[in-house]
Amino acid sequence: MPGFLDQIEPLKQAALSELRAAPDLAALDQSRVNFLGANGKFTALLKQLSALPKEEKPLAGKAINTAKAELAAALTERRGELELKAALPKEPTDFTLPGRRRVLGKLHPLTQTTEDIVRSFRKIGFVVADGPEIEDEYHCFDALNTPADHPARDLQDTFYVQDKTAPAPASPDAGEAQRSSLLLRTHTSSVQIRVMQKQQPPVRIIVPGRVYRRDNADATHNPTFHQVEGLYVDRNVTVGDLKGTVEFVFKELMGSETKIRFRPHYFSYTEPSFEIDFSSPLTRKMGKEWLEIAGCGMVHPQVFENVGYDRETWTGWAFGFGIERIAMIRYGINDIRLFYENDIRFLRQF
């Protein structure tokens, strides 16, 4: 019996030493298996109890159980130490330093301007409509009373897109006649045609969106820019309604001191047509009393016929302007290209 009890203490000390020296969780688990596993050293010693005399078993069992309890406590303690060590940063960290705030993003100045425009129109009952940026000639030009020989149809002003589903031309000479009718829309006016084709008046929509024209990029032009179109169709709509809406919107955008004037102009899809100038402290800061800002007019009767509206019953107006131009005036920006360069130093100012 003394021989059996004498094995317990050295085995316990060896196990404690190995558990406490385990460098990581994997090594600790291996030490646990070596001593306390199904084939571990302490488990093997426990199996020898059955060979002891009956009167010696209680004392021997108590000694082994006490040793196992000490090992279990040491195992738990070391596991906690190693788990904490694994969770700590790999590099030294000074936890007394102030925290690092997560940088919040901001809306792009063009997005801010667009949202302000939409908010102004919503106040007077307009809803936002949308349409495809890859458009066909019918919705972009034909339905808007812009015939094939109109300057807006010139290839120098428009990005045409190859339609690979269209049949190949019968001959090289026929290629131009059979060219694809798909193009990147040159204005958001094409959406007013799509809306009017789908619903009967009254119609009261605005259409903000990206448009494309073959302009050379400079301080005031870019091949890709943003435009907002407004359309109102109902019974007895007049130029007075148009002027009142324009004044309200631009005073919302440019300040209460803004003044508006209309000048006669020509657009193929409105009659009569006007250019809109505005005057405000912003224009005077630029050294100009009046600045052209938008185009507008009463919807041409031919456009109503193209969408199936009775030209004798319905009247309406439309106007459109560039969102970049509004943003440049509001924020005092002198180069349109700054909007597209994604320079954080520029964007953080807004």
Side-chain angles (χ1 to χ4, degrees):
M1 177 61 190
F4 180 85
L5 291 175
D6 290 343
Q7 297 179 59
I8 296 176
E9 185 63 24
L11 192 58
K12 182 188 75 172
Q13 293 299 329
L16 289 174
S17 177
E18 188 170 324
L19 290 173
R20 291 167 179 166
D24 52 44
L25 291 170
L28 181 67
D29 192 61
Q30 185 60 51
S31 298
R32 179 191 63 78
V33 171
N34 291 340
F35 288 95
L36 301 174
N39 298 314
K41 297 177 182 179
F42 255 93
T43 306
L45 193 62
L46 188 62
K47 292 177 181 179
Q48 297 178 24
L49 281 174
S50 59
L52 294 177
K54 184 177 180 180
E55 64 276 9
E56 297 178 357
K57 286 181 180 180
L59 182 61
K62 181 179 179 180
I64 287 189
N65 287 333
T66 301
K68 285 184 67 177
E70 288 186 48
L71 294 180
L75 177 65
T76 300
E77 181 182 359
R78 185 55 179 165
R79 179 177 285 115
E81 294 173 353
L82 292 175
E83 287 176 348
L84 177 61
K85 181 180 178 182
L88 292 175
K90 298 295 186 275
E91 300 294 331
T93 302
D94 186 350
F95 292 99
T96 65
L97 292 173
R100 297 176 182 175
R101 291 186 179 273
R102 183 169 295 179
V103 178
L104 296 178
K106 299 177 65 177
L107 293 177
H108 192 281
L110 292 181
T111 302
Q112 294 182 39
T113 303
T114 301
E115 290 190 352
D116 289 343
I117 293 170
V118 169
R119 192 176 299 112
S120 298
F121 276 101
R122 286 191 187 277
K123 289 180 180 179
I124 49 178
F126 283 75
V127 298
V128 177
D130 194 14
E133 294 183 13
I134 299 180
E135 192 53 276
D136 57 57
E137 287 186 327
Y138 175 78
H139 289 92
C140 199
F141 296 129
D142 295 339
L144 287 163
N145 195 36
T146 307
D149 58 353
H150 192 279
R153 302 287 288 269
D154 195 310
L155 283 173
Q156 297 303 312
D157 298 329
T158 308
F159 291 102
Y160 282 87
V161 179
Q162 183 181 2
D163 184 359
K164 294 186 178 181
T165 63
S171 66
D173 295 336
E176 176 61 22
Q178 297 184 15
R179 66 174 168 80
S180 168
S181 65
L182 297 181
L183 63 145
L184 299 181
R185 65 183 182 188
T186 58
H187 47 203
T188 57
S189 303
S190 58
V191 180
Q192 69 171 263
I193 299 297
R194 292 184 174 274
V195 170
M196 288 192 289
Q197 286 176 328
K198 292 179 180 178
Q199 71 177 70
Q200 288 296 306
V203 175
R204 190 180 294 184
I205 61 168
I206 58 167
V207 189
R210 186 182 292 107
V211 298
Y212 307 83
R213 297 180 188 175
R214 292 184 64 181
D215 285 332
N216 293 322
D218 57 28
T220 56
H221 298 86
N222 201 67
T224 303
F225 58 101
H226 298 78
Q227 191 181 63
V228 62
E229 165 98 5
L231 173 69
Y232 177 37
V233 180
D234 207 339
R235 288 182 171 87
N236 304 317
V237 175
T238 68
V239 173
D241 300 312
L242 169 59
K243 188 171 187 294
T245 302
V246 169
E247 285 186 342
F248 173 80
V249 170
F250 283 111
K251 283 185 177 182
E252 285 271 305
L253 296 174
M254 302 297 188
S256 59
E257 298 181 35
T258 300
K259 297 179 180 180
I260 297 293
R261 73 179 183 186
F262 283 18
R263 289 182 292 105
H265 195 68
Y266 170 77
F267 297 108
S268 60
Y269 35 86
T270 54
E271 180 60 37
S273 302
F274 308 96
E275 289 279 10
I276 304 174
D277 299 335
F278 86 104
S279 174
S280 76
L282 294 174
T283 61
R284 290 188 282 276
K285 188 182 294 185
M286 299 167 62
K288 299 180 180 181
E289 182 61 32
W290 293 94
L291 189 67
E292 177 188 326
I293 195 66
C296 68
M298 301 301 292
V299 178
H300 198 290
Q302 184 61 47
V303 175
F304 283 153
E305 288 193 5
N306 292 339
V307 298
Y309 284 8
D310 183 353
R311 59 191 291 177
E312 300 300 328
T313 303
W314 307 109
T315 56
W317 54 252
F319 78 91
F321 52 89
I323 295 175
E324 278 86 346
R325 189 173 180 86
I326 298 293
M328 291 174 73
I329 295 170
R330 291 179 69 183
Y331 300 128
I333 299 168
N334 58 10
D335 195 324
I336 194 173
R337 291 167 292 191
L338 292 170
F339 289 125
Y340 318 119
E341 292 176 350
N342 294 326
D343 190 327
I344 296 297
R345 296 169 299 177
F346 172 76
L347 297 177
R348 279 177 177 166
Q349 299 177 62
F350 306 98

